[in-house]
Amino acid sequence: MAVERTLSIIKPDAVAKNVIGDIISRFEKAGLRVIAARMAHLSQSEAEQFYAVHRERPFFGELVGFMTSGPVLVQVLEGDDAIARNRDIMGATNPKEAAPGTIRADFAETIDANAVHGSDAPETAAQEIGFFFSDEQICPRG
Ligand code: IDP
């Protein structure tokens, strides 16, 4: 298994619920390490750029509105198979379809306000990490 990095966002709904610690604990229990983290309140333009791939989707406006509605925690997670492992513990996009015990099943209610974001492939992970963090802001563990 390769050591990978992935971008995680704890979204405004989960930050508002004050469950940042519970969610980070899930990452750590799954063997993922936080190697960069910062709070951010995304501007309209940042959210539009970050989700540019969804620009043509009918829910784009709703998604940007939600992601700018409050602060988020952006993080880089590192570990074996980090991209797939993070997606596994996040659960399905729609919390109603997410497997029991996943973050979205436990902390989210709706498909738009679904608690967490996680990169879906190595190329998008590299791009998304670079969107939020410079190399100096990333602190790999030895
Ligand atoms: P993912 O976050 O599980 O990778 P994507 O399909 O990449 O899911 O969608 C990105 C985000 O867009 C989702 O996490 C969710 O917040 C939002 N989204 C996806 N589908 C819908 C929808 O049908 N209505 C509203 N928001 C949606």
Side-chain angles (χ1 to χ4, degrees):
M1 250 182 300
V3 174
E4 291 176 336
R5 292 178 181 180
T6 190
L7 186 88
S8 161
I9 303 179
I10 300 182
K11 294 186 178 183
D13 58 322
V15 172
K17 280 186 189 159
N18 215 21
V19 292
I20 288 174
D22 288 321
I23 292 176
I24 291 180
S25 177
R26 303 282 180 103
F27 298 147
E28 293 184 334
K29 286 190 180 114
L32 300 172
R33 299 176 293 276
V34 177
I35 60 166
R38 72 177 167 91
M39 297 296 297
H41 194 144
L42 301 185
S43 67
Q44 171 98 5
S45 134
E46 285 171 323
E48 284 176 0
Q49 273 180 59
F50 183 77
Y51 279 115
V53 67
H54 294 308
R55 197 173 288 277
E56 304 307 324
R57 309 278 284 275
F59 57 81
F60 183 67
E62 197 185 343
L63 174 59
V64 169
F66 168 65
M67 289 301 290
T68 57
S69 67
V72 297
L73 180 69
V74 286
Q75 303 150 99
V76 180
L77 306 178
E78 185 177 72
D80 287 335
D81 217 7
I83 296 167
R85 193 172 288 198
N86 182 40
R87 303 271 307 175
D88 280 352
I89 62 173
M90 285 165 55
T93 306
N94 186 346
K96 294 184 173 60
E97 291 161 12
T102 60
I103 294 169
R104 283 168 167 166
D106 291 345
F107 298 110
E109 273 93 50
T110 64
I111 192 166
D112 51 321
N114 61 3
V116 280
H117 166 85
S119 309
D120 62 4
E123 301 72 33
T124 43
Q127 184 196 335
E128 291 177 359
I129 290 168
F131 186 87
F132 285 109
F133 295 99
S134 63
D135 284 349
E136 309 80 69
Q137 292 172 317
I138 299 176
C139 304
R141 314 278 180 84

Coordinates of all heavy atoms in Angstrom, one line a residue, residues 11 51 53-54 57-60 62-64 66-67 87 90-94 104 110-120 128, ligand 1:
K11 N -17.0 20.4 6.8 CA -17.8 21.4 6.2 C -18.6 22.2 7.2 O -18.6 21.9 8.4 CB -18.8 20.7 5.2 CG -18.1 20.0 4.0 CD -19.2 19.5 3.0 CE -18.5 18.8 1.8 NZ -19.5 18.3 0.8
Y51 N -14.9 24.0 -6.5 CA -15.8 23.0 -7.0 C -16.1 23.2 -8.5 O -17.2 22.9 -9.0 CB -17.2 23.1 -6.2 CG -17.1 22.4 -4.9 CD1 -17.2 23.0 -3.7 CD2 -17.0 21.0 -4.9 CE1 -17.2 22.3 -2.5 CE2 -17.0 20.3 -3.7 CZ -17.1 21.0 -2.5 OH -17.1 20.3 -1.3
V53 N -15.4 21.8 -11.1 CA -15.7 20.5 -11.8 C -17.3 20.3 -11.8 O -17.8 19.7 -12.7 CB -15.0 19.3 -11.2 CG1 -15.4 19.0 -9.8 CG2 -15.1 18.1 -12.1
H54 N -17.9 20.9 -10.8 CA -19.4 20.7 -10.7 C -20.2 21.9 -11.3 O -21.4 22.0 -11.1 CB -19.8 20.6 -9.2 CG -19.3 19.3 -8.6 ND1 -19.5 18.1 -9.2 CD2 -18.6 19.1 -7.5 CE1 -18.9 17.1 -8.4 NE2 -18.4 17.7 -7.4
R57 N -23.5 21.4 -12.9 CA -24.5 20.6 -12.2 C -25.6 21.5 -11.6 O -25.3 22.6 -11.3 CB -23.8 19.8 -11.1 CG -22.6 19.0 -11.5 CD -22.9 17.7 -12.1 NE -23.3 16.7 -11.1 CZ -22.5 15.9 -10.5 NH1 -21.2 16.0 -10.6 NH2 -23.0 15.0 -9.6
P58 N -26.8 20.9 -11.6 CA -27.9 21.8 -11.1 C -27.8 22.2 -9.7 O -28.3 23.3 -9.3 CB -29.1 20.8 -11.2 CG -28.6 19.4 -11.4 CD -27.2 19.6 -12.0
F59 N -27.0 21.5 -8.9 CA -26.9 21.9 -7.5 C -25.7 22.8 -7.2 O -25.4 23.1 -6.0 CB -26.7 20.6 -6.6 CG -25.6 19.7 -7.0 CD1 -24.3 20.0 -6.5 CD2 -25.8 18.6 -7.7 CE1 -23.2 19.1 -6.8 CE2 -24.7 17.7 -8.1 CZ -23.5 18.0 -7.6
F60 N -25.0 23.3 -8.3 CA -23.8 24.1 -8.1 C -24.0 25.3 -7.2 O -23.2 25.6 -6.2 CB -23.2 24.5 -9.4 CG -21.9 25.2 -9.3 CD1 -20.7 24.6 -8.9 CD2 -21.8 26.6 -9.7 CE1 -19.5 25.3 -8.8 CE2 -20.6 27.3 -9.6 CZ -19.4 26.6 -9.1
E62 N -26.3 25.9 -5.0 CA -26.6 25.5 -3.6 C -25.3 25.1 -2.9 O -25.1 25.4 -1.7 CB -27.6 24.3 -3.8 CG -28.3 23.9 -2.6 CD -29.1 22.6 -2.9 OE1 -29.3 22.2 -4.1 OE2 -29.5 21.9 -1.9
L63 N -24.5 24.3 -3.6 CA -23.2 23.8 -3.1 C -22.3 25.0 -2.7 O -21.8 25.0 -1.5 CB -22.5 22.9 -4.1 CG -21.1 22.4 -3.8 CD1 -21.2 21.6 -2.5 CD2 -20.6 21.5 -4.9
V64 N -22.2 26.0 -3.6 CA -21.3 27.1 -3.3 C -21.9 27.9 -2.1 O -21.2 28.4 -1.2 CB -21.2 28.0 -4.5 CG1 -20.5 29.4 -4.2 CG2 -20.3 27.3 -5.6
F66 N -23.8 26.8 0.3 CA -23.6 26.1 1.6 C -22.1 26.2 2.0 O -21.8 26.4 3.2 CB -24.0 24.6 1.4 CG -23.5 23.7 2.5 CD1 -24.0 23.9 3.8 CD2 -22.6 22.8 2.3 CE1 -23.5 23.1 4.8 CE2 -22.1 22.0 3.3 CZ -22.6 22.2 4.6
M67 N -21.2 26.0 1.1 CA -19.8 26.0 1.5 C -19.2 27.3 1.9 O -18.2 27.4 2.6 CB -18.9 25.4 0.3 CG -19.1 23.9 0.1 SD -18.7 22.9 1.5 CE -16.9 23.1 1.6
R87 N -12.3 8.1 2.0 CA -13.6 8.0 1.4 C -14.4 6.9 2.1 O -15.6 7.1 2.2 CB -13.5 7.7 -0.1 CG -12.6 8.7 -0.9 CD -13.4 9.9 -1.5 NE -14.5 9.6 -2.3 CZ -15.3 10.5 -2.8 NH1 -15.1 11.8 -2.5 NH2 -16.4 10.2 -3.5
M90 N -15.7 8.3 5.3 CA -16.7 9.4 5.1 C -18.1 8.8 4.9 O -19.1 9.3 5.3 CB -16.3 10.2 3.9 CG -15.1 11.2 4.1 SD -14.5 11.8 2.5 CE -15.9 12.4 1.7
G91 N -18.2 7.7 4.1 CA -19.4 7.2 3.7 C -20.0 7.8 2.4 O -19.4 8.8 1.9
A92 N -21.1 7.3 1.9 CA -21.7 7.8 0.7 C -22.1 9.3 0.7 O -22.4 9.8 1.8 CB -22.9 7.0 0.3
T93 N -22.0 9.9 -0.5 CA -22.4 11.3 -0.6 C -23.7 11.7 0.1 O -23.8 12.7 0.8 CB -22.4 11.7 -2.1 OG1 -21.2 11.3 -2.7 CG2 -22.6 13.2 -2.2
N94 N -24.7 10.8 -0.1 CA -26.0 11.1 0.5 C -26.0 10.3 1.9 O -26.0 9.1 1.9 CB -27.1 10.5 -0.4 CG -28.5 10.8 0.2 OD1 -28.6 11.2 1.4 ND2 -29.5 10.6 -0.6
R104 N -20.5 10.4 7.6 CA -21.8 11.0 7.1 C -23.0 10.4 7.7 O -24.0 11.1 7.9 CB -21.8 11.0 5.5 CG -20.9 12.0 4.9 CD -20.6 11.8 3.5 NE -20.0 13.0 2.8 CZ -19.5 12.9 1.6 NH1 -19.5 11.8 0.9 NH2 -18.9 14.0 1.1
T110 N -28.3 15.7 5.2 CA -28.7 15.9 3.9 C -27.6 15.8 2.9 O -26.4 15.9 3.3 CB -29.4 17.3 3.7 OG1 -28.4 18.3 3.9 CG2 -30.5 17.5 4.7
I111 N -27.9 15.6 1.6 CA -26.9 15.4 0.6 C -26.1 16.7 0.4 O -24.9 16.6 0.0 CB -27.5 14.9 -0.8 CG1 -26.4 14.4 -1.7 CG2 -28.4 15.9 -1.4 CD1 -26.9 13.6 -2.9
D112 N -26.7 17.8 0.6 CA -25.9 19.1 0.4 C -25.0 19.4 1.6 O -23.8 19.7 1.5 CB -26.7 20.2 0.0 CG -27.9 20.5 0.9 OD1 -28.5 19.4 1.3 OD2 -28.2 21.6 1.2
A113 N -25.6 19.2 2.8 CA -24.9 19.5 4.1 C -24.4 18.1 4.6 O -25.0 17.6 5.5 CB -25.8 20.2 5.1
N114 N -23.3 17.6 4.0 CA -22.9 16.2 4.3 C -21.6 16.1 5.1 O -20.9 15.1 4.9 CB -23.0 15.4 3.1 CG -22.0 15.9 2.0 OD1 -21.3 16.8 2.2 ND2 -22.0 15.2 0.9
A115 N -21.3 17.1 5.9 CA -20.2 17.1 6.9 C -18.8 17.1 6.5 O -18.0 17.7 7.1 CB -20.4 15.8 7.9
V116 N -18.5 16.4 5.4 CA -17.0 16.3 5.0 C -16.9 16.2 3.5 O -17.7 15.7 2.8 CB -16.4 15.0 5.6 CG1 -16.0 15.2 7.1 CG2 -17.2 13.8 5.5
H117 N -15.7 16.7 3.1 CA -15.2 16.5 1.7 C -13.9 15.7 1.8 O -13.1 15.8 2.7 CB -14.9 17.9 1.1 CG -14.1 17.7 -0.2 ND1 -14.7 17.5 -1.4 CD2 -12.8 17.7 -0.4 CE1 -13.8 17.4 -2.4 NE2 -12.6 17.5 -1.8
G118 N -13.7 14.8 0.8 CA -12.4 14.1 0.7 C -12.1 13.9 -0.8 O -13.0 13.6 -1.6
S119 N -10.8 14.2 -1.1 CA -10.4 14.0 -2.5 C -10.7 12.6 -3.0 O -10.7 11.7 -2.3 CB -8.9 14.2 -2.6 OG -8.5 15.4 -2.0
D120 N -11.0 12.5 -4.4 CA -11.4 11.2 -4.9 C -10.3 10.5 -5.7 O -10.6 9.4 -6.2 CB -12.7 11.4 -5.7 CG -12.6 12.3 -6.9 OD1 -11.4 12.8 -7.2 OD2 -13.6 12.6 -7.6
E128 N -6.1 19.7 -5.1 CA -6.9 20.3 -3.9 C -6.0 20.7 -2.8 O -6.2 21.7 -2.1 CB -8.0 19.3 -3.5 CG -9.1 19.1 -4.5 CD -10.1 18.1 -4.1 OE1 -9.9 17.5 -3.0 OE2 -11.0 17.9 -4.8
Ligands
IDP1 P1 -18.5 13.6 -2.8 O1 -18.4 14.8 -1.9 O2 -19.0 12.4 -2.1 O3 -17.2 13.3 -3.6 P2 -19.6 14.7 -5.3 O4 -20.5 14.0 -6.2 O5 -18.2 15.0 -5.8 O6 -19.6 13.9 -3.9 O7 -20.4 16.1 -5.0 C1 -19.7 17.1 -4.3 C2 -20.6 17.7 -3.3 O8 -21.7 18.3 -3.9 C3 -21.2 16.7 -2.3 O9 -20.4 16.4 -1.2 C4 -22.5 17.5 -1.8 O10 -22.1 18.4 -0.8 C5 -22.9 18.2 -3.1 N1 -23.9 17.5 -3.8 C6 -23.8 16.4 -4.6 N2 -25.0 16.0 -5.1 C7 -25.9 16.9 -4.7 C8 -27.3 17.1 -4.9 O11 -27.9 16.3 -5.6 N3 -27.9 18.2 -4.3 C9 -27.1 19.1 -3.5 N4 -25.8 18.9 -3.3 C10 -25.2 17.9 -3.8

